[in-house]
Amino acid sequence: MAEIELKSVRKAFQSFEVIHGIDLSIVDGSFTVFVGPSGCGKSTLLRMMAGLEEVTSGEIRIDGARCDHLLPSARGMAMVFQSYALYPHMSVEQNLKFGLENQKLPKQEVAARVAKAASILQIEHLLARRPSQLSGGQSQRVAIGRAIVKEPKAFLFDEPLSNLDAELRIKMRGELISLHKRLGSTMVYVTHDQVEAMTMADQIVVLNEGRIEQVGSPIELYAQPANLFVARFLGAPPMNLLKGKVVRSGNQITIMLDDGTPVPLRDRMIDLSDGAPITLGIRPEHAEIGESAFKVGVNGTEILGAETIIHAEMGTGYPFTIAQRGISRAKAGDVIPVAIREPFVHLFDESGWVVGASSDWRSAYMN
Ligand SMILES: Nc1ncnc2c1ncn2[C@@H]1O[C@H](COP(=O)(O)OP(=O)(O)O)[C@@H](O)[C@H]1O
Ligand SMILES: [Mg+2]
């Protein structure tokens, strides 16, 4: 069991700062995912929690007690890496035992923990094998087993599934989710894959260039991205972002898009003055073909079966993507009207932060 707290955590390599003051609470027993593009500082942050990297300043606490000065082994956290880091000359069983024997645990206790981990991960039949005799998925299970036998307060995963093929990745994703349910331990999981973040996390932490952009549940981040970075990063295909201006007339607010289409809004409170530049976001899956003054020209379609991705462009030449359920009749050259429904509209000011968020998004988003 572990609650983890980060306070103003910074990291510099030589004089180059890569983590710029992270404040974060990780609730005991939660599955927290750090997600962000390559190089944004996910591994560095996780490695500081594990004790593999010193913090330059700030504090890390586990269950209230400061741990940033402790050796990795004294923190009670177990880390699983993308490269499985198994000892090639040892059997699977020896790999699982190794850390425990070093801790001088009684033989019986070691055997019991190894047996339990092997059973949880269903790798009993692999115990006698060498790592070179394992598939990628089996190796990753052994690497996870090596973390489980330590009975850590928290598990730290750094892109553990990235070396697996797509099918196995999806399977292991499911296995890790059930492992989390079964153990109830705090898990912190690093990935650059937004689908892993959306499907696995209780809490997602979106990182960008060493800073937190937003923290929230997957649904909150999808439905209420706090800024353009999160809006672009979560969701595939990515959100359409249309430039325009605010037009105020009495109490009525209209977004005048750059292609000349007015989008009147009824339920939004926006603190921007008449004429202020604004970005209107609408996800491809919320852009509905039907009755509208807003029209786009189709460039091509991708028919996936369950849905069709329609690649189009606006009058301004700016790209616009529509995701339509099932198989679309739209084809290149068509001009189609697209309804922009207010509950699904996201608005961002010039600095890229959200304005006029809808307070009642749950009723629009949730079935
Ligand atoms: N040991 C190191 N020395 C110098 N710079 C490093 C070191 N480790 C990471 N960095 C830099 O810190 C930044 C964050 O890296 P990292 O945490 O590995 O990102 P991510 O895991 O999100 O891809 C990158 O700019 C990277 O080049
Ligand atoms: Mg990394």
mmCIF file with all atom_site columns, all heavy atoms in Angstrom, residues 39 42-44 158-159 190, ligand 2:
data_model
loop_
_atom_site.group_PDB
_atom_site.id
_atom_site.type_symbol
_atom_site.label_atom_id
_atom_site.label_alt_id
_atom_site.label_comp_id
_atom_site.label_asym_id
_atom_site.label_entity_id
_atom_site.label_seq_id
_atom_site.pdbx_PDB_ins_code
_atom_site.Cartn_x
_atom_site.Cartn_y
_atom_site.Cartn_z
_atom_site.occupancy
_atom_site.B_iso_or_equiv
_atom_site.pdbx_formal_charge
_atom_site.auth_seq_id
_atom_site.auth_comp_id
_atom_site.auth_asym_id
_atom_site.auth_atom_id
_atom_site.pdbx_PDB_model_num
ATOM   1  N  N   . GLY A 1 39  ? 10.744 12.028 -24.800 1.00 0.00 ? 39  GLY A N   1
ATOM   2  C  CA  . GLY A 1 39  ? 11.643 13.088 -24.354 1.00 0.00 ? 39  GLY A CA  1
ATOM   3  C  C   . GLY A 1 39  ? 11.008 14.092 -23.399 1.00 0.00 ? 39  GLY A C   1
ATOM   4  O  O   . GLY A 1 39  ? 11.658 15.048 -22.982 1.00 0.00 ? 39  GLY A O   1
ATOM   5  N  N   . LYS A 1 42  ? 9.108  11.523 -18.815 1.00 0.00 ? 42  LYS A N   1
ATOM   6  C  CA  . LYS A 1 42  ? 8.370  10.461 -18.108 1.00 0.00 ? 42  LYS A CA  1
ATOM   7  C  C   . LYS A 1 42  ? 9.311  9.516  -17.369 1.00 0.00 ? 42  LYS A C   1
ATOM   8  O  O   . LYS A 1 42  ? 9.128  9.245  -16.184 1.00 0.00 ? 42  LYS A O   1
ATOM   9  C  CB  . LYS A 1 42  ? 7.528  9.630  -19.112 1.00 0.00 ? 42  LYS A CB  1
ATOM   10 C  CG  . LYS A 1 42  ? 6.603  10.441 -19.981 1.00 0.00 ? 42  LYS A CG  1
ATOM   11 C  CD  . LYS A 1 42  ? 5.854  9.558  -20.966 1.00 0.00 ? 42  LYS A CD  1
ATOM   12 C  CE  . LYS A 1 42  ? 6.689  8.883  -22.044 1.00 0.00 ? 42  LYS A CE  1
ATOM   13 N  NZ  . LYS A 1 42  ? 7.292  9.798  -23.025 1.00 0.00 ? 42  LYS A NZ  1
ATOM   14 N  N   . SER A 1 43  ? 10.323 9.009  -18.094 1.00 0.00 ? 43  SER A N   1
ATOM   15 C  CA  . SER A 1 43  ? 11.247 8.053  -17.467 1.00 0.00 ? 43  SER A CA  1
ATOM   16 C  C   . SER A 1 43  ? 12.033 8.710  -16.346 1.00 0.00 ? 43  SER A C   1
ATOM   17 O  O   . SER A 1 43  ? 12.223 8.121  -15.285 1.00 0.00 ? 43  SER A O   1
ATOM   18 C  CB  . SER A 1 43  ? 12.223 7.490  -18.499 1.00 0.00 ? 43  SER A CB  1
ATOM   19 O  OG  . SER A 1 43  ? 11.525 6.736  -19.454 1.00 0.00 ? 43  SER A OG  1
ATOM   20 N  N   . THR A 1 44  ? 12.477 9.933  -16.583 1.00 0.00 ? 44  THR A N   1
ATOM   21 C  CA  . THR A 1 44  ? 13.245 10.640 -15.562 1.00 0.00 ? 44  THR A CA  1
ATOM   22 C  C   . THR A 1 44  ? 12.422 10.779 -14.283 1.00 0.00 ? 44  THR A C   1
ATOM   23 O  O   . THR A 1 44  ? 12.919 10.545 -13.178 1.00 0.00 ? 44  THR A O   1
ATOM   24 C  CB  . THR A 1 44  ? 13.671 12.031 -16.089 1.00 0.00 ? 44  THR A CB  1
ATOM   25 O  OG1 . THR A 1 44  ? 14.401 11.841 -17.299 1.00 0.00 ? 44  THR A OG1 1
ATOM   26 C  CG2 . THR A 1 44  ? 14.519 12.773 -15.084 1.00 0.00 ? 44  THR A CG2 1
ATOM   27 N  N   . ASP A 1 158 ? 7.985  1.228  -16.751 1.00 0.00 ? 158 ASP A N   1
ATOM   28 C  CA  . ASP A 1 158 ? 8.434  2.165  -17.794 1.00 0.00 ? 158 ASP A CA  1
ATOM   29 C  C   . ASP A 1 158 ? 8.261  1.530  -19.173 1.00 0.00 ? 158 ASP A C   1
ATOM   30 O  O   . ASP A 1 158 ? 9.087  0.731  -19.601 1.00 0.00 ? 158 ASP A O   1
ATOM   31 C  CB  . ASP A 1 158 ? 9.899  2.563  -17.562 1.00 0.00 ? 158 ASP A CB  1
ATOM   32 C  CG  . ASP A 1 158 ? 10.290 3.766  -18.416 1.00 0.00 ? 158 ASP A CG  1
ATOM   33 O  OD1 . ASP A 1 158 ? 9.470  4.187  -19.268 1.00 0.00 ? 158 ASP A OD1 1
ATOM   34 O  OD2 . ASP A 1 158 ? 11.399 4.291  -18.233 1.00 0.00 ? 158 ASP A OD2 1
ATOM   35 N  N   . GLU A 1 159 ? 7.194  1.886  -19.852 1.00 0.00 ? 159 GLU A N   1
ATOM   36 C  CA  . GLU A 1 159 ? 6.874  1.384  -21.202 1.00 0.00 ? 159 GLU A CA  1
ATOM   37 C  C   . GLU A 1 159 ? 7.071  -0.125 -21.307 1.00 0.00 ? 159 GLU A C   1
ATOM   38 O  O   . GLU A 1 159 ? 7.787  -0.596 -22.200 1.00 0.00 ? 159 GLU A O   1
ATOM   39 C  CB  . GLU A 1 159 ? 7.733  2.107  -22.258 1.00 0.00 ? 159 GLU A CB  1
ATOM   40 C  CG  . GLU A 1 159 ? 7.727  3.618  -22.090 1.00 0.00 ? 159 GLU A CG  1
ATOM   41 C  CD  . GLU A 1 159 ? 7.377  4.374  -23.354 1.00 0.00 ? 159 GLU A CD  1
ATOM   42 O  OE1 . GLU A 1 159 ? 6.885  3.760  -24.318 1.00 0.00 ? 159 GLU A OE1 1
ATOM   43 O  OE2 . GLU A 1 159 ? 7.579  5.600  -23.348 1.00 0.00 ? 159 GLU A OE2 1
ATOM   44 N  N   . VAL A 1 190 ? 4.332  4.301  -17.182 1.00 0.00 ? 190 VAL A N   1
ATOM   45 C  CA  . VAL A 1 190 ? 4.765  5.300  -18.160 1.00 0.00 ? 190 VAL A CA  1
ATOM   46 C  C   . VAL A 1 190 ? 4.541  4.781  -19.575 1.00 0.00 ? 190 VAL A C   1
ATOM   47 O  O   . VAL A 1 190 ? 4.874  3.631  -19.876 1.00 0.00 ? 190 VAL A O   1
ATOM   48 C  CB  . VAL A 1 190 ? 6.271  5.608  -17.966 1.00 0.00 ? 190 VAL A CB  1
ATOM   49 C  CG1 . VAL A 1 190 ? 6.878  6.233  -19.205 1.00 0.00 ? 190 VAL A CG1 1
ATOM   50 C  CG2 . VAL A 1 190 ? 6.480  6.509  -16.772 1.00 0.00 ? 190 VAL A CG2 1
HETATM 51 MG MG  . MG  B 2 .   ? 11.255 6.988  -21.462 1.00 0.00 ? 2   MG  B MG  1
#
